[in-house]
C-alpha cells in the first residue's frame, strides 16, 4: 500500500504581555525576527498573541493598564511590519478555548513542578509576592502551554527567559499524549540568533530595560526623544578624556551598535571606518570621543526606526481598523483553538453528546433488564 506522506505543518505562536509599550530591546530581541520569519514564507501559519489574560495574572487590580496597552502593542506590532495578511494577530482573552484547555492541563502538572519553574520563581521574587501568590499567576505556565498547543505550534520564537515555559509545555504535551493519545504537538523553541540581541541593557547601563527604571528607548518615541536618550547614554565610566583608551565590552553604546549596526551604516554615515571592528579598535586604543560614537549610533538607530515610525503614523490615523484587525485575528484564532479543544475533549472522553456509540451502549446497558 502506498504510504501517504503527512507533511508536518510549520506553525509559529508567540506573544507579549500588554503591560507597556514595546522598546528597542523587544525589537532586536524578537520583533525583527518575527517579521523575518513571517516574510520567509517558510511557515504555514503564524499566530501573534497579545497575552492580556496572562498580564492580568499579576495586574488584577489594574485592568485599565492592560486595556490601554493592548492598542499600544498592536501598533508596535503593525509598525514593525507584522502584516495581518500573513500573520494572525489575536487577543488571548477573546479565545475562551484557551481557558478551558488550561483547566484540563492543570491536572497534569504538580504544584512542586510549578514551584521549580525558574522563571516563575524569579518573578515571584521580583514582585515580592512572598507567600501571597495569586493562583492564576502561579499557574500561568500552564496557560502558556494552552496558548502554544491550542494552535499546534511547532515553533515558539521567544527570549531565553521563556525557556522554562517551553520546557513545561513540552512536558504537558508528552503527559497528555501518553495518557489520552497523540493529539498535541510538542513545540520547539527558537531563540534569538544574535548574541547582542539576547538582552539589550538600559540606556543607563543597567542590565535590563524597564519602564520603572525609565531607561528604555521605545519604538513609539519621537526622533527627538530617541536622540536625547542616546546622547545621554551611559558609556565607559573610565573613558574621561578623548585620548584615554576606552572599553567597548559591557559599554551600552557598543552593545547597541553590536545589535543594530551593519557595514552599510559605515558607508552611509561614517566612511572613516569600514566596520564595527575598526571603530572598536580605535575606541580601545584611545583618541575617539563618546559623543562621536553616540552621534553615529543615533544615525544608525534612527535609520532603523524611521520606517517603523512612518508605518505607525498611518495606523494611528485609523485606530478602529487596528481593533478590527485584532477582532478578525481573534475570530480566526478561535476557530483553530476550537478544533484542538474538540480533539482534546474527544481524547479525554468528555465529548458525551458527540459520541453516538456511548449513548447507544448506555441505552443497551440500561435496556438489559
Ligand atoms: N510569557 C510571554 C511574555 O511574558 C508572553 C506569552 C504568553 C507567550 N503566552 C505565550 C509567549 C505563548 C510565547 C508563547 O512575554
Amino acid at each position: 500500500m502506498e504510504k501517504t506522506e503527512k507533511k508536518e505543518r510549520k506553525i509559529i505562536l508567540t506573544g507579549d504581555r500588554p503591560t507597556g509599550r514595546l522598546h528597542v530591546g523587544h525589537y532586536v530581541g524578537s520583533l525583527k525576527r518575527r517579521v523575518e520569519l513571517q516574510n520567509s514564507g517558510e511557515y504555514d501559519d503564524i499566530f501573534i498573541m497579545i497575552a492580556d489574560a496572562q498580564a492580568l495574572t499579576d495586574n488584577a487590580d489594574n485592568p485599565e493598564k492592560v486595556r490601554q496597552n493592548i492598542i499600544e502593542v498592536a501598533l508596535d506590532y503593525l509598525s514593525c511590519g507584522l502584516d495581518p495578511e500573513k500573520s494572525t494577530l489575536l487577543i488571548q482573552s477573546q479565545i475562551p478555548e484557551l481557558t478551558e484547555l488550561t483547566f484540563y492541563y492543570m491536572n497534569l502538572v504538580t504544584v512542586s513542578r510549578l514551584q521549580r519553574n525558574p522563571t516563575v520563581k524569579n518573578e515571584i521574587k521580583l514582585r515580592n509576592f512572598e507567600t501571597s501568590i495569586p493562583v492564576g499567576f502561579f499557574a500561568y505556565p500552564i496557560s502558556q502551554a494552552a496558548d502554544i498547543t491550542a494552535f499546534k505550534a511547532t515553533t515558539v520564537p521567544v527570549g531565553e527567559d521563556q525557556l522554562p515555559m517551553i520546557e513545561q509545555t513540552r512536558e504537558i504535551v508528552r503527559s497528555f499524549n501518553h495518557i489520552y493519545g497523540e493529539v498535541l504537538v510538542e513545540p520547539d523553541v527558537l531563540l534569538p540568533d544574535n548574541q547582542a540581541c539576547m538582552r539589550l541593557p538600559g540606556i543607563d547601563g543597567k542590565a535590563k530595560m524597564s519602564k520603572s527604571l525609565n531607561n528604555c528607548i521605545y519604538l513609539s518615541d519621537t526622533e527627538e526623544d530617541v536622540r536625547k536618550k542616546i546622547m545621554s547614554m551611559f558609556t565607559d565610566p573610565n573613558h574621561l578624556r578623548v585620548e584615554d583608551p576606552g572599553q567597548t565590552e559591557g559599554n551600552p553604546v557598543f552593545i547597541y551598535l553590536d545589535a543594530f549596526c551593519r557595514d552599510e551604516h559605515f558607508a552611509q554615515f561614517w566612511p572613516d571606518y569600514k566596520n564595527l571592528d575598526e571603530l572598536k579598535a580605535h575606541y580601545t586604543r584611545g583618541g575617539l570621543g563618546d559623543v562621536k560614537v553616540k552621534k553615529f549610533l543615533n544615525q544608525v538607530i534612527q535609520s532603523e526606526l524611521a520606517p517603523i515610525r512612518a508605518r505607525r503614523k498611518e495606523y494611528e490615523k485609523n485606530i478602529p481598523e487596528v481593533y478590527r484587525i485584532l477582532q478578525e485575528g481573534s475570530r480566526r484564532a478561535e476557530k483553530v483553538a476550537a478544533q484542538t479543544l474538540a480533539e482534546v475533549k474527544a481524547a479525554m472522553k468528555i465529548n458525551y453528546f458527540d459520541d453516538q456509540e456511548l449513548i447507544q451502549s448506555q441505552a443497551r446497558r440500561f435496556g438489559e433488564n
Side-chain angles (χ1 to χ4, degrees), residues 245-256:
Q247 243 208 334
T248 59
E249 222 164 278
N251 181 332
V253 174
F254 283 92
I255 297 175
Y256 277 53

Side-chain angles (χ1 to χ4, degrees), residues 13-19 26 34 47 49-52 54-55 92 119 123 127 140 143-148 153 155-159 161-162 165-166 169:
L13 178 120
T14 187
D16 303 275
R17 298 179 193 179
T19 52
H26 294 114
R34 287 183 203 171
F47 297 92
M49 165 184 286
I50 300 181
D52 61 335
Q54 188 176 109
Q92 186 184 29
T119 303
E123 287 175 327
R127 284 166 182 70
Y140 93 73
S143 126
Q144 193 155 332
D147 300 340
I148 294 167
T155 310
V156 185
V158 282
D161 62 312
Q162 295 292 306
M165 302 300 157
I166 313 306
T169 301

